[in-house]
Amino acid sequence: MTSDNQQVVFSGVQPSGNLTIGNYLGAIRNFAAFSEAYKCYYCVVDMHAITVRQVPAELRRRTYETLALYIACGLDPNKNTLYVQSHVPAHAELAWILNCYTMFGELSRMTQFKDKSAKHADNVNAGLFTYPTLMAADILLYQTDRVPVGVDQQQHIEIARDIAVRFNGVYGDTFTVPEGIISEHGKKIMSLADPTKKMSKSDENVNAVVYILDNKDDILRKFRRAVTDSDTVVRFGEGKDGINNLMTIYSCFTDKSMEEIEREFDGRGYGDFKSAVGEVCADALAPVRAEFDRLMADKAYLEDVMQKGAQDAAYNARKTLSKVKRKVGFTTL
Ligand code: TRP
């Protein structure tokens, strides 16, 4: 909590790869709703991104793009602190300290580390291993109460809580113990090509993934090609992973329940349904894309947002960091 008792929300998105409708429905779309009641920090986590190898010019471009996308998805820079992680050195400083209160064993158990080290076997670096402590630092620096994330980040929220509790246990109350908000809607959007796998921005099959910034034709085509079963009835059920996924996506964009969707498409085939899913998705994303294009043409504005966001974040982060340094016994000048 902040000193004026306002609750704090923090979340981060990596500027690596294009964001998918899974990122949109499961996370970003829900961020704007918090800004009325909470003090909100939404960070572009470029330091996390370099745990896997990046092309420098692309990382730089995607950092701007992620910030632009935050704003295009409805985050008002005057109501939210939008900033870039590497612009606030307190993240790196606290991450180092927290590394010394995080156990090798608990980091070894992280499923994301296991997955990513299998995928990038030639670059299993220490940063990939300590990724969760940097994420804990992000969250704990701002005395965060709530962390809205997709379900794949649940384990990282748990370890951030464990680190906070451990530190508080040794030094007395220092950190707010954060709680995850795992979005109900769009909990898990699956690949359109293999609906047993999560939709992933790094999928090599372009038809498997719908990106937030895809144009209408691409969106319609991808949904038309989505893999489904050999049944013909639009019904939510076991063994119908493809249809279940399309129904989930349709439900997220229209707020209709599964029963309503079944009724709406009663007697109509999969083809009709797939076109309808494509249409609602394309319609919802069109204004986001238009605003994104407008923002990307105005770098000066984006830099101004980054600058102000970093200043505000740094100011608030310093309070926690000074407290932590004092508690662990660092000398001050
Ligand atoms: N690890 C998160 C992801 O890949 C991104 C992230 C970094 C984050 N720091 C965070 C999310 C702090 C929430 C809070 O999605």
Side-chain angles (χ1 to χ4, degrees):
M1 255 194 271
T2 60
S3 46
D4 52 4
N5 277 354
Q6 195 183 23
Q7 293 229 327
V8 176
V9 160
F10 185 100
S11 196
V13 170
Q14 289 197 47
S16 54
N18 296 321
L19 294 172
T20 72
I21 56 167
N23 302 121
Y24 179 71
L25 297 171
I28 302 181
R29 179 176 78 152
N30 312 314
F31 288 174
F34 296 107
S35 47
E36 293 307 326
Y38 295 85
K39 163 82 179 160
C40 296
Y41 298 88
Y42 295 114
C43 184
V44 181
V45 292
D46 55 349
M47 287 156 66
H48 279 106
I50 63 164
T51 56
V52 303
R53 200 67 79 224
Q54 302 289 337
V55 178
E58 273 180 27
L59 179 61
R60 205 167 291 123
R61 175 174 52 79
R62 290 199 159 122
T63 299
Y64 281 92
E65 286 180 354
T66 307
L67 183 70
L69 205 54
Y70 271 157
I71 304 170
C73 288
L75 295 176
D76 179 347
N78 296 317
K79 292 188 186 158
N80 301 274
T81 301
L82 308 180
Y83 72 104
V84 177
Q85 188 183 33
S86 66
H87 294 170
V88 181
H91 288 252
E93 293 185 71
L94 183 60
W96 174 259
I97 297 172
L98 296 183
N99 268 332
C100 304
Y101 299 85
T102 308
M103 298 302 129
F104 184 87
E106 60 190 342
L107 289 173
S108 312
R109 287 193 289 277
M110 294 289 118
T111 54
Q112 183 173 298
F113 172 69
K114 291 189 217 165
D115 291 350
K116 286 202 180 168
S117 43
K119 203 165 146 203
H120 304 277
D122 56 338
N123 185 21
V124 185
N125 62 75
L128 193 63
F129 188 63
T130 60
Y131 180 113
T133 38
L134 177 58
M135 181 159 158
D138 298 343
I139 297 168
L140 301 181
L141 260 182
Y142 300 96
Q143 305 295 342
T144 301
D145 298 277
R146 314 279 280 172
V147 189
V149 281
V151 69
D152 62 317
Q153 294 299 313
Q154 205 158 11
Q155 204 183 21
H156 288 158
I157 305 288
E158 279 308 312
I159 196 173
R161 290 169 55 87
D162 292 344
I163 295 169
V165 168
R166 181 175 303 139
F167 195 98
N168 289 347
V170 179
Y171 298 104
D173 247 2
T174 310
F175 297 120
T176 302
V177 181
E179 261 175 60
I181 305 179
I182 311 298
S183 81
E184 243 347 280
H185 247 331
K187 256 194 179 149
K188 233 180 180 177
I189 303 299
M190 312 304 276
S191 153
L192 297 188
D194 176 358
T196 60
K197 263 184 18 197
K198 189 186 150 206
M199 185 181 283
S200 155
K201 58 188 172 190
S202 51
D203 202 310
E204 266 136 47
N205 179 351
V206 291
N207 288 317
V209 190
V210 179
Y211 296 105
I212 301 180
L213 298 171
D214 272 349
N215 65 39
K216 182 161 186 172
D217 286 349
D218 286 338
I219 295 175
L220 293 180
R221 179 178 43 83
K222 288 177 182 182
F223 280 110
R224 234 181 292 122
R225 293 202 185 156
V227 169
T228 45
D229 54 79
S230 56
D231 195 6
T232 52
V233 188
V234 177
R235 185 166 28 85
F236 198 89
E238 212 162 304
K240 293 170 70 77
D241 295 322
I243 284 296
N244 292 349
N245 187 37
L246 294 181
M247 287 180 75
T248 303
I249 294 170
Y250 191 71
S251 161
C252 286
F253 280 116
T254 59
D255 274 332
K256 290 179 184 162
S257 69
M258 295 303 167
E259 295 75 42
E260 284 174 296
I261 300 170
E262 288 173 1
R263 247 179 284 126
E264 184 179 352
F265 291 93
D266 189 23
R268 296 160 68 185
Y270 282 180
D272 254 17
F273 178 54
K274 287 179 179 179
S275 303
V277 182
E279 290 288 342
V280 294
C281 175
D283 287 352
L285 296 180
V288 173
R289 192 183 153 149
E291 178 66 358
F292 173 86
D293 288 341
R294 195 186 67 73
L295 290 162
M296 283 305 286
D298 193 352
K299 288 264 155 63
Y301 171 73
L302 292 175
E303 282 166 2
D304 188 52
V305 171
M306 281 180 189
Q307 179 82 45
K308 292 200 173 103
Q311 236 165 35
D312 179 67
Y315 173 81
N316 288 296
R318 197 162 45 229
K319 298 185 210 166
T320 302
L321 189 62
S322 318
K323 185 153 93 171
V324 168
K325 286 183 174 175
R326 216 174 327 110
K327 296 226 179 191
V328 300
F330 289 173
T331 48
T332 48
L333 286 177

